[in-house]
Amino acid sequence: MDVLSDVLSALKLKGCLYFTTRFYGPWGIRVPKLGNVARFHLVTDGNCAVRIGESETVVNLTKGDIIIIPYGKAHILSDKADSPSAELDDALAVSKFTGQGLFEYGSSDKTSETKLICGHLEFDDAFLHPLIKQLPDCIVVKAKQLEDIAWLGQAIGSLTQMQMSAQMGNNAIVQKLSEILFIHVIKVWQASLKTEENFLYAISDSHIGKSLQSFHENPQQKWSLNTLSVEAGLSRTLFAERFRLLVGMPPMQYIKQWRVQQAQLLLRDSSKSVDQIAESVGYASVTAFTRIFKKLVGFGPGAYRKQGNNKTADH
């Protein structure tokens, strides 16, 4: 498995589509903060102004543009930057939106119309990775940047149709299409960056990419700064400097963090013993594994598993 696929698999993305909209100007909606999610808004017709948090900066979107707000931050959507806005719950109540069909809101004068597809991608709460931590407050990809991905337009059209329909199986398909949309938008955004200082660039780097690929293919192997630098074809010093520049942390810290997060998934989702899990993520010593796990997570693997079981029982 390639590095990006491995990371995205560990993310355990879960897509959710809220609604497709028809908003008639003037209109404005205040969207509240929401946990560990990446919200997205895709403009399928008209114009949309977006202001995130307390920022005075307004992002203007037109047909075909998409914005992703990675950390679930509160934001305001409107037809124009100075349009009055209402709380999302109040707008939903006024529109009598039931969760199915169109979310229509705004002026009775329907000459000015904005159509959006709105949803979010939820991440696993236990997952902390440079890929996510390095994302900015918002990612904007313009329609022109997506022109080379011919099938994406068809996928977006399918999202709209399925959201409007109650046919069996549509929810599962919408979820997967949302995840695919997110992944490709992130890749298009990364390709447009002028900086090399991010994890996606690290994956494609001719040196660091090789070391990341080797580690992700065999995380249980006995890795060291020396063995990683050999895989990268660099001296230890040059490798450590370049890895930290691109990934945002030292190589051995990345390895510890990845192994512990894989262990968290196994503790929660498998019946393997702590000894078996320690070995599968690269620790010959359970004592060493427990010490590092506790340092990064805050408590030991046994307590973590018990906490996970309690959450499952509560649901």
Side-chain angles (χ1 to χ4, degrees):
M1 184 183 293
D2 66 89
V3 177
L4 183 57
S5 296
D6 200 20
V7 172
L8 291 171
S9 176
L11 265 174
K12 291 191 176 296
L13 289 175
K14 184 178 180 182
C16 172
L17 206 63
Y18 305 141
F19 31 67
T20 54
T21 79
R22 279 185 185 164
F23 294 152
Y24 307 105
W27 63 270
I29 294 180
R30 295 191 293 275
V31 183
K33 179 178 173 58
L34 181 64
N36 197 25
V37 303
R39 284 191 168 114
F40 64 85
H41 302 289
L42 170 66
V43 182
T44 57
D45 201 13
N47 302 292
C48 181
V50 186
R51 191 167 71 234
I52 300 169
E54 301 300 319
S55 172
E56 294 300 318
T57 302
V58 175
V59 178
N60 292 302
L61 306 176
T62 57
K63 183 177 179 178
D65 297 346
I66 185 168
I67 186 169
I68 293 178
I69 304 170
Y71 309 110
K73 286 194 171 185
H75 54 281
I76 299 174
L77 305 173
S78 57
D79 62 324
K80 297 178 182 177
D82 57 354
S83 291
S85 58
E87 295 294 340
L88 175 59
D89 285 347
D90 293 337
L92 289 169
V94 168
S95 71
K96 299 180 181 178
F97 180 68
T98 63
Q100 197 67 45
L102 281 172
F103 172 21
E104 295 190 85
Y105 179 75
S107 169
S108 57
D109 178 7
K110 299 186 178 181
T111 54
S112 174
E113 181 179 75
T114 299
K115 297 178 183 178
L116 302 172
I117 297 175
C118 305
H120 78 229
L121 277 298
E122 184 176 349
F123 305 132
D124 191 299
D125 287 338
F127 195 83
L128 294 173
H129 190 276
L131 176 65
I132 300 302
K133 292 173 70 176
Q134 291 172 350
L135 295 178
D137 286 344
C138 78
I139 294 166
V140 177
V141 173
K142 307 298 284 184
K144 189 172 181 58
Q145 294 174 267
L146 299 173
E147 286 178 354
D148 293 337
I149 309 175
W151 58 265
L152 194 56
Q154 296 176 340
I156 290 168
S158 297
L159 271 175
T160 306
Q161 292 173 9
M162 289 180 183
Q163 174 66 6
M164 299 289 289
S165 170
Q167 289 183 9
M168 186 179 298
N170 275 6
N171 286 343
I173 297 172
V174 164
Q175 177 180 320
K176 291 301 178 186
L177 284 175
S178 301
E179 294 163 14
I180 292 168
L181 178 66
F182 171 79
I183 292 166
H184 279 275
V185 167
I186 292 294
K187 291 173 73 173
V188 170
W189 164 77
Q190 187 275 333
S192 70
L193 293 179
K194 302 197 185 316
T195 177
E196 298 180 357
E197 298 175 23
N198 63 80
F199 184 78
L200 286 171
Y201 188 89
I203 293 173
S204 60
D205 182 81
S206 58
H207 297 290
I208 304 305
K210 289 179 181 177
S211 65
L212 284 167
Q213 184 66 41
S214 296
F215 167 66
H216 276 265
E217 286 177 349
N218 298 289
Q220 73 284 352
Q221 187 174 313
K222 189 175 180 180
W223 292 102
S224 66
L225 186 58
N226 186 59
T227 56
L228 286 167
S229 62
V230 168
E231 291 290 334
L234 295 172
S235 70
R236 284 167 45 119
T237 301
L238 284 176
F239 169 72
E241 289 176 354
R242 185 150 184 79
F243 190 101
R244 183 164 191 156
L245 175 69
L246 298 185
V247 179
M249 64 177 66
M252 298 313 294
Q253 182 182 339
Y254 179 85
I255 285 178
K256 288 177 183 177
Q257 181 174 295
W258 180 261
R259 285 173 167 171
V260 166
Q261 289 178 338
Q262 293 303 296
Q264 288 176 274
L265 295 176
L266 290 169
L267 286 163
R268 194 177 56 197
D269 301 334
S270 81
S271 58
K272 288 184 177 181
S273 68
V274 172
D275 292 42
Q276 290 172 319
I277 290 172
E279 184 178 358
S280 71
V281 298
Y283 290 95
S285 164
V286 177
T287 302
F289 165 67
T290 301
R291 183 176 66 252
I292 291 170
F293 189 99
K294 189 172 184 178
K295 182 178 180 180
L296 294 183
V297 178
F299 41 87
Y304 180 84
R305 170 169 272 171
K306 184 176 181 181
Q307 182 188 68
N309 289 338
N310 287 340
K311 285 183 179 180
T312 301
D314 290 341
H315 289 296

